[in-house]
Amino acid sequence: MTDVYASLEEQRLHALKSVWKTRLVSLLLIPLVLLPVVLLFVTMVQEQLVGSIATLAARLVPALQDNMNLVVMVSIGWVVLGLWLLGRYYRTQGLQPQWDYLSSYKTKVFAQLCQEHFPGLKYD
């Protein structure tokens, strides 16, 4: 039974590391996903910006305003696709190891308990 618990502990630690690693990666990628929203915001408040951001906005905004419909559609598509990819990444890399751990815990521990305490019983 000790071998079963040792292998499960390794799997549990791997699942925890995966969850925290995915949360960190997701947190770092969220600004990249929301970048088009920031660009749209800059185009709307161009007059209120100061300093070097105003200079950058003065160069960028006229090009964006000429194609505003395209910019809005691309921004919405970028955000939706980015959030979908982040959700998929979080599910496969962060949550799947947890689910695998819970499943193998039930299978390994209960199978071992049945084998030790009830020799004729088999856990499927």
Side-chain angles (χ1 to χ4, degrees):
M1 193 71 166
T2 310
D3 297 338
V4 171
Y5 285 134
S7 70
L8 285 172
E9 181 62 19
E10 287 177 23
Q11 193 174 6
R12 184 186 71 83
L13 291 175
H14 171 71
L16 284 173
K17 287 178 187 176
S18 295
V19 167
W20 285 105
K21 184 180 98 178
T22 353
R23 287 179 182 171
L24 179 64
V25 167
S26 299
L27 190 63
L28 293 175
L29 289 177
I30 286 175
L32 181 64
V33 169
L34 296 178
L35 183 65
V37 175
V38 172
L39 285 175
L40 287 175
F41 179 74
V42 166
T43 59
M44 288 187 269
V45 295
Q46 176 191 6
E47 301 83 29
Q48 299 170 358
L49 297 174
V50 292
S52 61
I53 295 176
T55 309
L56 177 66
R59 293 181 190 158
L60 187 65
V61 168
L64 291 177
Q65 285 177 341
D66 292 341
N67 303 311
M68 191 53 94
N69 289 336
L70 179 64
V71 169
V72 168
M73 287 189 307
V74 169
S75 298
I76 290 171
W78 177 273
V79 169
V80 168
L81 180 66
L83 291 175
W84 180 77
L85 287 172
L86 276 174
R88 186 171 169 87
Y89 174 75
Y90 187 75
R91 182 170 187 240
T92 58
Q93 300 297 319
L95 296 178
Q96 192 63 45
Q98 277 184 325
W99 297 335
D100 293 343
Y101 166 71
L102 291 174
S103 174
S104 66
Y105 182 86
K106 286 190 263 185
T107 326
K108 290 178 181 177
V109 170
F110 287 129
Q112 188 72 24
L113 285 173
C114 287
Q115 184 181 15
E116 287 181 12
H117 297 289
F118 308 103
L121 191 63
K122 186 176 165 189
Y123 179 78
D124 286 328

